[in-house]
Amino acid sequence: MRVNLTDRQQHILWATVRHYIATAEPVGSKALVDEYKLTVSPATIRNAMGTLEKAGLLYQPHTSAGRVPSDSGYRLYVDRLIQPSEKLAGKVEQVLDQLNWSDGRRSAVLRGAAQILATISGYIALITIPQTNIACLRHLQLVQLEPGKVMLIVVTDAYETQSVLVELPQDTEGKKQDVEIVDRELQILSNFLNSKLRGRSFSELSTIALSELNQDFELYADLMGTMLAALSRRAETPTYTRILIGGLAEALRLPEFSQLQQVQTLVQLLEQEQELLWPLIFESPADLETAGRRVTVRIGSENSLEPIRGCTLISSTYRRGSLPVGSVGVLGPTRMVYENAIAVVEAAADYLSEAIGGNRANFPEADP
């Protein structure tokens, strides 16, 4: 629900959130006057804060205390009152550029990147291992398993294999072809497809034009279309991959993580139940495009998982070309320096996209 605020009320909300983020103490009107040199009286500020409280943007933890931002208050602050720090974004890119992207195992390089992001942001950094179902095709082979049955075997650039089994169509007279003839034709088709598809991502396979098949191989056109469409569909749904974590020990020293039970459930989620967290980090690209956002910011109760309902999770996908292959994010308390955290995630996602795409270096495709 959109809340209509005057310019003064927005400024007071902005100042309240910033002061609370800096001090972790409930904010009173006098503190805002002293810190932000507001040109209105403390009474005017108190009235404005009362209005913000009635709107659900602030609350009082105790009757005699100052006010604290609610999840809704942070949401309005993030959506309407701040811009990501361009200066910090430049620093992130500069520091990541010092990593050796052309040497070492993939997980080790990404783990190093996660530690860098945690150090710069001050929060827990999360980077998912690149998707294998969005890998590029390295080699394929059509194999006749028995009369009338053909398997397409695909080797990805990460040296993983996938396969599709289909029924071989009959000729125009309803007869099955000779086994030896089929084997020779399948080899020719394999060579043709390798020349056309090598280096393509799985999601691109269904777009290949089969019109170049000459008349002698028209029988296989529908077969090829079926196989390639089946492989392409596998790229539509991201699959769970491991999440690399940086800065966990340091972030847990923040006052918001002072309760032992809270820390235990959070650590269990991050280290033992990553499959529950993964869908929140790797948000559907369609959802992001519809909302017109580069990053996803989930604040407090907006998180569906109980261990992080008191936290903020900021994430964005990184890409190979136009295809999302992984995600990078930071996790911390709702009392977060959002301008910095959003900038860190945006810059890291952009940088990883360039690294994965090969624009900066030859990124290792797989661990040995």
Side-chain angles (χ1 to χ4, degrees):
M1 183 178 67
R2 186 172 180 85
V3 179
N4 293 318
L5 301 178
T6 65
D7 290 344
R8 175 181 293 170
Q9 290 166 346
Q10 289 190 46
H11 187 66
I12 291 174
L13 175 63
W14 171 84
T16 302
V17 174
R18 284 183 65 88
H19 192 77
Y20 181 70
I21 289 173
T23 66
E25 296 291 337
V27 184
S29 57
K30 186 176 185 303
L32 295 185
V33 171
D34 294 341
E35 182 72 21
Y36 296 95
K37 311 253 185 316
L38 300 179
T39 58
V40 293
S41 68
T44 300
I45 294 176
R46 283 194 296 273
N47 288 336
M49 294 178 82
T51 300
L52 295 171
E53 183 175 2
K54 290 178 182 178
L57 303 175
L58 301 177
Y59 70 93
Q60 282 186 295
H62 308 289
T63 304
S64 60
R67 291 174 173 85
V68 170
S70 66
D71 290 350
S72 297
Y74 282 123
R75 169 53 60 194
L76 193 150
Y77 176 80
V78 168
D79 290 347
R80 293 162 56 181
L81 303 181
I82 62 170
Q83 292 293 328
S85 169
E86 294 183 5
K87 181 178 179 180
L88 189 61
K91 179 181 179 181
V92 170
E93 186 171 323
Q94 183 179 23
V95 176
L96 286 177
D97 211 17
Q98 297 174 11
L99 289 171
N100 187 353
W101 294 98
S102 61
D103 187 26
R105 295 188 300 176
R106 174 178 60 186
S107 60
V109 177
L110 289 175
R111 187 174 286 109
Q115 190 57 53
I116 287 172
L117 300 182
T119 300
I120 293 175
S121 69
Y123 309 117
I124 301 167
L126 311 167
I127 299 180
T128 66
I129 293 290
Q131 289 280 288
T132 55
N133 69 328
I134 313 179
C136 292
L137 185 145
R138 184 181 183 88
H139 181 76
L140 64 80
Q141 188 69 42
L142 289 161
V143 178
Q144 183 177 202
L145 300 180
E146 60 183 67
K149 290 188 177 180
V150 174
M151 177 174 286
L152 173 63
I153 302 172
V154 173
V155 181
T156 72
D157 53 0
Y159 295 96
E160 298 177 344
T161 60
Q162 297 201 30
S163 61
V164 176
L165 179 65
V166 296
E167 293 284 339
L168 186 67
Q170 297 177 338
D171 63 19
T172 54
E173 297 179 357
K175 299 178 182 179
K176 291 185 177 180
Q177 293 180 288
D178 179 86
V179 172
E180 293 185 3
I181 294 175
V182 170
D183 283 339
R184 287 197 298 270
E185 293 179 340
L186 291 179
Q187 184 58 55
I188 294 172
L189 284 170
S190 296
N191 295 339
F192 168 80
L193 291 174
N194 275 303
S195 69
K196 295 296 181 183
L197 299 179
R198 188 176 289 114
R200 299 278 192 97
S201 66
F202 275 27
S203 63
E204 295 177 291
L205 297 187
S206 62
T207 65
I208 183 66
L210 299 174
S211 57
E212 296 180 37
L213 288 172
N214 65 34
Q215 190 172 1
D216 294 336
F217 295 97
E218 284 183 351
L219 178 65
Y220 295 100
D222 289 342
L223 174 71
M224 294 297 95
T226 299
M227 286 180 167
L228 298 181
L231 288 173
S232 177
R233 283 193 296 273
R234 297 184 184 181
E236 294 177 359
T237 303
T239 56
Y240 165 72
T241 58
R242 188 158 51 103
I243 302 172
L244 302 176
I245 300 171
L248 176 59
E250 294 82 356
L252 291 181
R253 297 192 182 102
L254 294 169
E256 285 82 359
F257 299 120
S258 60
Q259 296 183 1
L260 179 60
Q261 181 62 38
Q262 178 191 21
V263 171
Q264 289 176 336
T265 56
L266 179 60
V267 171
Q268 182 175 343
L269 174 66
L270 294 175
E271 295 186 349
Q272 301 175 27
E273 300 174 342
Q274 290 189 355
E275 69 279 3
L276 301 178
L277 180 62
W278 195 93
L280 297 185
I281 299 176
F282 202 105
E283 184 173 13
S284 166
D287 294 340
L288 286 174
E289 291 168 6
T290 300
R293 293 173 287 137
R294 294 183 62 200
V295 299
T296 301
V297 182
R298 288 187 173 90
I299 301 171
S301 57
E302 296 172 0
N303 289 296
S304 58
L305 298 176
E306 184 61 34
I308 59 172
R309 286 181 69 83
C311 301
T312 287
L313 174 63
I314 301 175
S315 62
S316 181
T317 56
Y318 61 88
R319 298 170 176 260
R320 177 187 286 142
S322 62
L323 300 171
V325 295
S327 185
V328 57
V330 297
L331 178 69
T334 55
R335 187 183 63 87
M336 176 183 286
V337 184
Y338 287 93
E339 302 95 314
N340 292 351
I342 293 172
V344 166
V345 171
E346 285 186 343
D350 289 345
Y351 188 90
L352 290 176
S353 295
E354 292 190 27
I356 294 291
N359 295 331
R360 294 184 180 270
N362 294 320
F363 187 82
E365 293 293 351
D367 293 344

